[in-house]
């Protein structure tokens, strides 16, 4: 049964103020960066390892008493495991490392008065979070509904009518866990049967059925391939 | 050694011991990793790439004007931490008028041994740090 969208606000209420993964010092909450409509994503936090080779945009809020969130910088404690570019973690190698959440300390500005791009020893650590990177052993396709939710993995074959649309996203998995991270995925299908639109969402395509026929949508990422067969039927009056 | 000299030595040792700040680990290691402080021997074992928060107190209050440096930042990096006085887990229930807490974050770099020197207006100490290979 699909998750009723109207229940999402209640999900947030049910989880209280605990949104995202709390830092080791209990002063921050970290989540994957999500559109405001994706409340499940917003409360889930970093609830799985990041797939090796994937990247994950994150957002962090500071929960200290009486202070809004200061300017923050994220620092990897082991760049061999993951690196950080602005607000995006890039998973490099399977392993475990801490992500430091820092704010500028005394002397953290350059000669022009701009913030230094890298944290220095004078920066203050507001919190930190231990982050796992794991190698994916499977790639599965999920359907993105109009509510932004992704259902369970697709079956091997599906039917569509001409004019139907389907948005797919490729997600890395390892054993029973769905891993986190956006993938640079390549999609292929018969353009005589479907049109695939890249709408700027990593690892995702909007597929429009254009003509009757059958095609296999093949997706490749992280050196893993997965496919779904689409049978497009003609609309009969 | 005369009894008087021995007594003086004992008194000097007791006084010296009283000048040592207390160290407390504020965080724990994630599964499979090591991040532990021996507060008596003042040594730390830390996995590569893992952070550990340590708090310095002196006679029950935060160490005043505390500063920490590493003998080898490639092995262990030390950064000051900001910890809210009201953060849950605050062991000594600070009030808003108290001194800021003296917290330092140790981050394991490459495996090896290094010394973190902690100085403050109250007292100084050093921490032997051993960084272990990643889990």
């Amino acid at each position: 049964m699909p998750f009723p969208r109207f229940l999402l606000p209640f999900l947030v209420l049910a989880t209280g103020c605990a949104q995202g993964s709390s830092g080791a010092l209990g002063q921050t909450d970290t989540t994957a960066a999500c559109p405001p409509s994706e409340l499940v994503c917003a409360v889930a936090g970093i609830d799985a390892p990041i797939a090796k080779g994937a990247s994950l945009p994150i957002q962090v809020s500071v929960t200290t008493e009486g202070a809004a969130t200061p300017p923050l910088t994220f620092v990897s404690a082991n760049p061999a495991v993951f690196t950080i570019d602005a607000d995006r973690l890039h998973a490099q190698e399977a392993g475990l490392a801490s992500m430091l959440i820092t704010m500028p300390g005394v002397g953290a500005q350059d000669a022009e008065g701009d913030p230094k791009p890298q944290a220095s020893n004078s920066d203050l650590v507001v919190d930190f979070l231990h982050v796992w990177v794991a190698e994916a052993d499977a790639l599965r396709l999920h359907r993105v509904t109009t509510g932004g939710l992704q259902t369970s993995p697709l079956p091997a074959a599906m039917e569509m009518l001409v004019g139907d649309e389907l948005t797919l996203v490729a997600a890395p998995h390892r054993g029973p866990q769905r891993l986190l991270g956006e993938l640079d995925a390549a999609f292929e299908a018969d353009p005589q049967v479907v049109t695939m639109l890249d709408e700027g969402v990593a690892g995702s395509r909007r597929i429009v059925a254009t003509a009757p026929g059958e095609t296999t949508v093949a997706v490749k990422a992280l050196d893993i391939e997965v496919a779904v067969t689409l049978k497009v039927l003609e609309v009969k009056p | 050694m005369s009894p008087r000299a021995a007594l003086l030595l004992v008194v000097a040792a007791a006084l010296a011991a009283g000048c040592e700040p207390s160290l407390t680990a504020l965080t724990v290691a994630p599964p499979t990793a090591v991040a532990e402080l021996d507060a008596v021997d003042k040594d730390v074992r830390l996995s590569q790439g893992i952070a550990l928060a340590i708090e310095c107190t002196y006679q029950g209050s935060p160490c005043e004007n505390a500063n920490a440096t590493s003998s080898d930042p490639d092995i262990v990096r030390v950064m000051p931490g900001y910890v809210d006085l009201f953060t849950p887990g605050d062991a000594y229930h600070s009030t808003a008028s108290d001194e800021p807490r003296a917290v330092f974050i140790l981050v394991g770099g490459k495996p090896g041994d290094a010394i973190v020197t902690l100085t403050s207006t109250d007292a100084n100490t050093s921490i032997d740090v051993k960084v272990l290979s990643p889990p």
Side-chain angles (χ1 to χ4, degrees), chain A residues 24-27 63-65 75 77-78 95-98 100 102-103 119-126 128 130 132, chain B residues 26-33 48-53 77-84 86-87 105 107-108 135:
Chain A
L25 292 171
Q27 300 192 125
T63 57
T64 51
E65 298 270 352
V75 181
N78 188 353
L96 165 67
S98 304
L100 307 179
T102 70
M103 61 175 289
S120 69
N121 281 347
S122 62
D123 286 351
L124 291 172
V125 177
V126 179
F128 56 86
H130 307 300
W132 272 265
Chain B
L26 296 182
T27 58
V28 296
T32 72
Q48 182 177 358
I50 298 299
L52 171 69
R77 188 175 174 189
V78 191
M79 298 174 75
Y82 170 77
V83 176
D84 189 338
F86 302 121
T87 293
I105 313 300
V107 183

Side-chain angles (χ1 to χ4, degrees), chain A residues 6 29 45-46 68 71 86 89 180 211 228 230-231 235:
Chain A
F6 68 88
D29 286 328
I46 312 298
L89 273 66
L180 299 177
V228 59
L230 295 180
K231 189 173 181 182
V235 182

Side-chain angles (χ1 to χ4, degrees), chain B residues 42-112:
Chain B
K42 300 237 177 355
D43 61 44
V44 162
R45 292 173 71 242
L46 197 56
S47 294
Q48 182 177 358
I50 298 299
L52 171 69
I54 290 178
E55 179 161 24
C56 176
T57 56
Y58 182 75
Q59 296 179 349
S61 296
C63 294
E64 200 172 339
N65 299 318
N67 188 35
T69 54
S70 169
S71 64
D72 190 340
D74 287 340
I75 294 177
V76 62
R77 188 175 174 189
V78 191
M79 298 174 75
Y82 170 77
V83 176
D84 189 338
L85 287 168
F86 302 121
T87 293
D90 178 0
Y92 53 95
H93 305 295
S94 302
T95 61
S97 60
D98 283 340
E99 288 285 323
R101 295 170 69 177
V103 175
F104 295 95
I105 313 300
L106 276 58
V107 183
K110 66 182 184 185

Side-chain angles (χ1 to χ4, degrees), chain A residues 125-141:
Chain A
V125 177
V126 179
D127 213 336
F128 56 86
L129 188 71
H130 307 300
V131 177
W132 272 265
V133 172
E135 193 153 6
D137 59 14
L139 192 66
R140 294 183 190 149
L141 296 175

Side-chain angles (χ1 to χ4, degrees), chain A residues 113-204:
Chain A
D114 297 324
K116 288 180 179 174
Q118 299 295 326
S120 69
N121 281 347
S122 62
D123 286 351
L124 291 172
V125 177
V126 179
D127 213 336
F128 56 86
L129 188 71
H130 307 300
V131 177
W132 272 265
V133 172
E135 193 153 6
D137 59 14
L139 192 66
R140 294 183 190 149
L141 296 175
H142 298 257
R143 185 198 331 229
V144 182
T145 67
T146 50
L149 292 174
Q150 297 168 12
T151 59
S152 53
L154 290 182
M158 295 176 65
E159 291 181 336
M160 301 172 75
L161 292 173
V162 172
D164 278 354
E165 295 186 7
L166 173 67
T167 301
L168 296 181
V169 63
H173 288 250
R174 180 178 180 82
Q177 266 184 311
R178 179 177 169 179
L179 304 180
L180 299 177
E182 296 177 350
L183 303 176
D184 187 11
F187 286 70
E188 282 184 10
D190 184 352
Q192 303 295 323
V193 180
V194 295
T195 298
M196 291 195 293
L197 301 172
D198 182 350
E199 298 188 303
V201 179
S204 175

